Amino acid sequence: MRIVSNIAAMQTLALRWKRAGLRIGFVPTMGYLHAGHLSLVQRARRTVGKNGVVVVSIYVNPTQFGPKEDFSKYPRDLEHDLKLCRAAGVDVVFTPGDKEMYPRWGESLSSLEIKTIKRLGSTESRPTIFSTYIIEETLSQTMEGASRPTHFRGVTTVVAKLFNLVLPDVAVFGTKDWQQAAIIKRMVSDLNFPVSIIVAPTLRERDGLAMSSRNKYLVGNLRSQATVLWCAIQLARVTIKKSKAFPAAKLKAALKKLIECEPDAKLDYVEFFEPDTLLPVSKATHGTHMALAVFIGKTRLIDNSEL
Ligand code: AMP
């Protein structure tokens, strides 16, 4: 397994593979890998075959975190990640650094530079020399996009950059981040990226909690309270099974009540929507999709499911 951290080296390697006619499968991650990530790696391997190459990127992307979010304390353990990747048969782990991905990101610019950037119309709270973003304008308005206003701009931008560096034929994303996957598919279609997107199922713990790097934050009894997201999904499913079509507003209220029975749980949002367009529905029915975000203490967890 090769570890590549230089972005020019990654692109050169990918171009060499292309010339040799090898299929490239790609799994972008933020690291602190778990079995859910590894299931995406297996899917990539199955898709490109043993003669293809599988690349996993590990990069905690600063531009998808809001100023008050957990960027600096996001869990990181590169040594362990590399072990897991090696055991999973990954060919290349790509670990770019902020300095190359976002030149001069986080550097304090001179007051003259800040003034100039602002005068040119930038509304950035943290101006930087990096100034080209990809913005998906429809699917990203609701749910995660409403709660985390610059999140998807950071996601689409970094994924586009990674696609340009890794040149994948196929990239695998998780159902766990349903809205993200929908937005990436839209970006690929709108901007004609020559890559197919696979969306693979969510892996869960035995008690239903979706695996997530952020589960590390769930210490003490927060861990058991976190199963309430899965309980909410079950309640919604049972409700739809019984009544076929159920008013979304009424179901939202019932789920909020269930969730907030846990002492440290606070609902951020729960939404019922059409799975492809993400358009909210007034009545939830079989085939409707639901997604929710819940704070368990200070940790914000997300999950989603088809009903
Ligand atoms: P992250 O490292 O959280 O950015 O996730 C990297 C990729 O893994 C994304 O496409 C996620 O949707 C996917 N992923 C995260 N958690 C899971 C899970 N429990 N099961 C399957 N895929 C997941």
Side-chain angles (χ1 to χ4, degrees), residues 233-254:
I233 289 172
Q234 298 308 317
L235 176 59
R237 280 188 181 158
V238 169
T239 308
I240 297 312
K241 214 171 182 181
K242 272 196 206 142
S243 75
K244 306 289 181 241
F246 198 89
K250 220 169 139 187
L251 193 46
K252 279 186 199 178

Side-chain angles (χ1 to χ4, degrees), residues 117-161:
I117 289 171
K118 296 248 173 191
R119 206 184 52 235
L120 292 173
S122 174
T123 52
E124 280 294 333
S125 55
R126 296 180 291 185
T128 164
I129 294 300
F130 182 90
S131 59
T132 307
Y133 292 91
I134 291 187
I135 302 175
E136 191 289 323
E137 296 197 321
T138 303
L139 303 173
S140 56
Q141 299 302 313
T142 58
M143 299 187 282
E144 289 302 285
S147 287
R148 309 177 66 191
T150 54
H151 173 66
F152 285 125
R153 180 188 77 161
V155 170
T156 43
T157 302
V158 81
V159 170
K161 284 170 70 68

Side-chain angles (χ1 to χ4, degrees), residues 4-251:
V4 178
S5 51
N6 177 275
I7 67 175
M10 182 69 245
Q11 205 173 38
T12 305
L13 193 56
L15 283 167
R16 208 181 303 144
W17 290 331
K18 286 264 175 237
R19 267 185 243 114
L22 301 181
R23 298 236 318 141
I24 306 174
F26 179 41
V27 180
T29 82
M30 296 207 297
Y32 210 73
L33 303 180
H34 50 68
H37 292 117
L38 299 177
S39 70
L40 307 189
V41 170
Q42 282 161 9
R43 184 66 179 270
R45 173 59 70 198
R46 276 208 306 282
T47 310
V48 299
K50 65 176 182 348
N51 296 327
V53 285
V54 172
V55 180
V56 170
S57 64
I58 297 181
Y59 181 57
V60 184
N61 172 37
T63 64
Q64 70 190 69
F65 288 79
K68 293 195 181 125
E69 294 179 357
D70 58 344
F71 171 65
S72 57
K73 68 178 176 78
Y74 192 83
R76 295 162 167 89
D77 186 350
L78 185 60
E79 281 314 305
H80 189 238
D81 289 348
L82 294 177
K83 260 188 214 151
L84 293 176
C85 286
R86 212 169 271 124
V90 170
D91 295 297
V92 170
V93 176
F94 178 40
T95 57
D98 292 341
K99 285 221 161 67
E100 276 198 298
M101 288 295 273
Y102 300 105
R104 300 191 61 186
W105 174 265
E107 250 181 60
S108 42
L109 303 183
S110 72
S111 54
L112 180 63
E113 282 174 314
I114 292 177
K115 255 191 215 148
T116 311
I117 289 171
K118 296 248 173 191
R119 206 184 52 235
L120 292 173
S122 174
T123 52
E124 280 294 333
S125 55
R126 296 180 291 185
T128 164
I129 294 300
F130 182 90
S131 59
T132 307
Y133 292 91
I134 291 187
I135 302 175
E136 191 289 323
E137 296 197 321
T138 303
L139 303 173
S140 56
Q141 299 302 313
T142 58
M143 299 187 282
E144 289 302 285
S147 287
R148 309 177 66 191
T150 54
H151 173 66
F152 285 125
R153 180 188 77 161
V155 170
T156 43
T157 302
V158 81
V159 170
K161 284 170 70 68
L162 291 168
F163 283 177
N164 283 334
L165 297 170
V166 175
L167 309 175
D169 296 285
V170 52
V172 188
F173 291 83
T175 298
K176 164 75 171 28
D177 298 276
W178 183 269
Q179 189 177 15
Q180 167 176 286
I183 291 168
I184 298 294
K185 282 192 279 185
R186 179 67 61 87
M187 174 185 88
V188 161
S189 152
D190 285 351
L191 300 182
N192 311 97
F193 280 89
V195 56
S196 2
I197 302 297
I198 292 177
V199 185
T202 302
L203 251 70
R204 299 180 178 279
E205 304 289 354
R206 278 161 166 263
D207 60 8
L209 176 66
M211 290 182 186
S212 163
S213 309
R214 288 192 170 99
N215 293 351
K216 176 188 160 64
Y217 301 142
L218 301 171
V219 291
N221 70 3
L222 294 178
R223 171 63 185 79
S224 59
Q225 294 185 51
T227 56
V228 78
L229 283 88
W230 182 238
C231 295
I233 289 172
Q234 298 308 317
L235 176 59
R237 280 188 181 158
V238 169
T239 308
I240 297 312
K241 214 171 182 181
K242 272 196 206 142
S243 75
K244 306 289 181 241
F246 198 89
K250 220 169 139 187
L251 193 46

